[in-house]
Amino acid sequence: MTLNDDSFTDWKNREEIAESMIPMIGKLHRERDVTILLHSRSLVNKSVVSILKTHRFARQIAGEELSVTETLPYLEALTSLDLGPSQIDLGILAESHRADDRGLSVRDFTAEAVAGATGANKIDRREPRDVVLYGFGRIGRLVARLLIEKSGSGNGLRLRAIVVRGGGEQDLVKRASLLRRDSVHGQFQGTITVDEANSRIIANGNEITVIYANDPSEVDYTAYGIDNAILIDNTGKWRDREGLSQHLRPGVDKVVLTAPGKGDVPNIVHGVNHDTVKPDERILSCASCTTNAIVPPLKAMADEYGVLRGHVETVHSFTNDQNLLDNYHKADRRGRSAPLNMVITETGAASAVAKALPDLDAPITGSSIRVPVPDVSIAILSLRLGRETDREEVLEYLRGVSLTSPLRRQIDFTTAPDAVSMDFIGSRHASIIDAGATKVDGDNAILYLWYDNEFGYSCQVVRVVQHVSGVEYPTFPATSA
């Protein structure tokens, strides 16, 4: 047998194993509300090849590929347990077991590691929480995709309605088409039909009512059977408490803004300060995509090395706020053609750091350049540290943060030497540290942080909504804070 035959046989064996994992992962999700992860990446509703690619990607984080032959026994052990709603990371489970020197079997170690989700420790399955999207643009449609994707268990968040201004002929069909196909993020994973008679879009069985209104005051959500809902404002039209309070109509309990909040509106970056949200807070902001990209690695560096000062330079993809061709715009430079120019503009991300990291006693400045790409940006974070270090130490530390820390859902890590912006479309992390570009000289460090300013940010929004709605389930094995 040739080497090629050996490689192909190994591939087919791994395909067979991955195929056997799919029904186990699906059954745990549907029947017990358990989400199986691999290094913070969900394996629910993933194909055979996607599962294998996710395992292979582990080599960029842990330094070596994780094989399905290693993770299958842990998944099989989980199916035999009396699990309650939770998220369980097979990658961390396998790594923790390897580091354990007690000689426990896979079954015994797994049972111990997820004990907080079994037996008397199980939490109750949550009743579905209604969600309304106010605005259905770039972020609104991606948040809709995520909410529909996560509705498979029948619990958690349930997208009930979207609110838009009245359109022209075939408005409902056109909005459904924009949800179905996206030039950047590809096809919707599932089926979409339109019920024009009842003004509904039906996506993967989720009946979503399209409400036409020009103003929040025009809508009584209880008339649509919506109650105690979380409304996500994707328009950015109102950013202070007074304006956003207009959404607190019958049927709406909380309002979440997908733009930086002004005044006393809390700016929340999931993973960093989401646990500071008070239960009675009814209005909050998810800050900006750039704030979400820089705050988690900034916190990680401040925790380990201290940060005396910093500057962030954002090279940002163009957005719908800019013009396709030169035209009037209230901002000085954003009126110039977005696909043809690099455009110097402002960013509020640096000032927003103070809201998300109030204990960081360091001045952070920032600026931004919009460039002719449709999605994925990079933030160059230049820091003066509290102590001297070297590049190897910083990279090893950040690799560990991305793998096992409480920030592992926010911070990703890549060692790919040829990585470019398109490689990160669809990333679910708030930012991805580019190891090859990182520079460290004594107490100076420069981090290059890729981020999908559309999809990665939308994932952060959904995480905040899950948290404030009470449907964010604990992750096992637990990691140290």
Side-chain angles (χ1 to χ4, degrees):
M1 181 177 286
T2 67
L3 180 60
N4 282 339
D5 289 334
D6 287 341
S7 297
F8 187 67
T9 299
D10 177 61
W11 170 259
K12 299 301 288 184
N13 288 338
R14 287 188 289 129
E15 268 192 325
E16 185 177 357
I17 292 171
E19 194 172 63
S20 73
M21 297 172 78
I22 291 175
M24 288 184 273
I25 293 168
K27 188 173 183 179
L28 285 169
H29 184 61
R30 287 190 306 274
E31 296 184 1
R32 306 190 200 179
D33 222 355
V34 174
T35 299
I36 299 298
L37 310 172
L38 189 80
H39 290 312
S40 301
R41 290 166 169 80
S42 174
L43 297 183
V44 176
N45 291 329
K46 294 298 187 289
S47 67
V48 168
V49 172
S50 180
I51 290 173
L52 292 174
K53 286 181 68 176
T54 304
H55 279 74
R56 182 167 175 77
F57 188 82
R59 66 184 178 146
Q60 293 208 43
I61 302 175
E64 59 183 21
E65 184 173 342
L66 186 63
S67 173
V68 287
T69 60
E70 295 177 72
T71 57
L72 176 63
Y74 297 97
L75 179 60
E76 290 174 331
L78 290 171
T79 62
S80 68
L81 297 173
D82 181 27
L83 288 169
S86 56
Q87 299 184 103
I88 300 176
D89 195 310
L90 294 180
I92 296 178
L93 193 57
E95 182 174 309
S96 301
H97 191 200
R98 282 198 300 266
D100 189 83
D101 59 3
R102 294 175 295 165
L104 295 177
S105 67
V106 167
R107 184 176 293 271
D108 289 343
F109 182 84
T110 300
E112 179 183 272
V114 302
T118 61
N121 295 321
K122 288 194 304 185
I123 60 176
D124 295 330
R125 298 182 75 170
R126 306 285 194 252
E127 289 296 317
R129 185 73 178 266
D130 290 351
V131 177
V132 173
L133 297 179
Y134 198 95
F136 205 51
R138 298 298 301 159
I139 300 302
R141 293 194 296 272
L142 291 177
V143 169
R145 285 188 175 200
L146 287 164
L147 292 173
I148 294 164
E149 171 192 296
K150 295 177 183 298
S151 65
S153 68
N155 297 277
L157 303 175
R158 181 174 59 174
L159 178 57
R160 295 293 309 281
I162 61 174
V163 184
V164 293
R165 290 192 295 269
E169 187 178 354
Q170 295 286 292
D171 181 87
L172 196 64
V173 172
K174 290 176 180 177
R175 294 187 188 278
S177 181
L178 285 168
L179 179 62
R180 183 182 292 113
R181 287 179 287 269
D182 189 281
S183 299
V184 174
H185 300 282
Q187 296 276 345
F188 174 81
Q189 296 300 303
T191 62
I192 293 176
T193 57
V194 175
D195 178 2
E196 291 191 85
N198 294 297
S199 191
R200 286 177 181 166
I201 296 172
I202 303 170
N204 290 359
N206 294 265
E207 295 185 352
I208 307 161
T209 301
V210 179
I211 302 170
Y212 293 99
N214 294 314
D215 187 84
S217 64
E218 298 177 9
V219 189
D220 178 349
Y221 294 96
T222 59
Y224 300 91
I226 296 169
D227 182 51
N228 197 35
I230 296 177
L231 183 144
I232 305 174
D233 184 328
N234 306 292
T235 68
K237 184 176 180 180
W238 306 279
R239 292 170 58 186
D240 60 11
R241 187 173 295 276
E242 180 181 2
L244 293 168
S245 293
Q246 298 177 77
H247 290 303
L248 295 173
R249 304 279 299 151
V252 172
D253 178 57
K254 295 181 186 293
V255 179
V256 175
L257 171 66
T258 62
K262 294 182 177 180
D264 67 341
V265 174
N267 280 250
I268 304 302
V269 175
H270 191 275
V272 174
N273 67 337
H274 66 278
D275 56 356
T276 65
V277 180
K278 298 176 181 177
D280 60 351
E281 179 59 75
R282 302 187 72 188
I283 295 174
L284 55 96
S285 157
C286 291
S288 70
C289 56
T290 302
T291 303
N292 276 266
I294 66 173
V295 165
L298 182 56
K299 173 177 168 50
M301 293 298 286
D303 287 347
E304 179 68 16
Y305 300 102
V307 172
L308 303 182
R309 65 173 179 269
H311 176 81
V312 60
E313 189 75 33
T314 301
V315 182
H316 199 291
S317 61
F318 63 80
T319 68
N320 274 330
D321 174 68
Q322 296 170 257
N323 293 330
L324 285 174
L325 295 171
D326 291 4
N327 205 351
Y328 174 81
H329 195 291
K330 63 181 180 180
D332 291 335
R333 304 187 203 232
R334 291 196 187 190
R336 303 299 297 278
S337 173
L340 297 178
N341 294 291
M342 294 190 293
V343 179
I344 297 173
T345 186
E346 73 285 342
T347 176
S351 58
V353 168
K355 277 193 169 185
L357 286 175
D359 295 334
L360 181 67
D361 186 21
I364 305 293
T365 57
S367 53
S368 180
I369 303 172
R370 296 287 179 94
V371 296
V373 295
D375 187 31
V376 179
S377 305
I378 189 167
I380 305 166
L381 185 59
S382 180
L383 302 175
R384 175 75 181 276
L385 305 178
R387 68 175 175 87
E388 292 194 353
T389 180
D390 57 47
R391 183 172 180 273
E392 289 71 25
E393 181 190 344
V394 169
L395 288 178
E396 191 57 34
Y397 167 66
L398 292 175
R399 185 198 297 271
V401 168
S402 72
L403 182 63
T404 59
S405 84
L407 289 170
R408 64 189 181 277
R409 297 172 74 192
Q410 284 69 44
I411 299 176
D412 205 357
F413 189 91
T414 182
T415 58
D418 56 351
V420 293
S421 59
M422 289 287 288
D423 298 330
F424 303 103
I425 289 178
S427 169
R428 295 178 180 239
H429 289 77
S431 61
I432 306 100
I433 293 162
D434 192 312
T438 300
K439 294 174 174 58
V440 181
D441 182 11
D443 60 357
N444 290 302
I446 303 175
L447 306 182
Y448 286 73
L449 311 168
W450 297 101
Y451 59 109
D452 184 330
N453 47 278
E454 293 186 333
F455 197 73
Y457 176 68
S458 297
C459 290
Q460 283 287 88
V461 171
V462 170
R463 290 171 190 137
V464 170
V465 174
Q466 287 177 316
H467 176 73
V468 299
S469 67
V471 299
E472 184 179 44
Y473 295 136
T475 300
F476 300 94
T479 56
S480 58

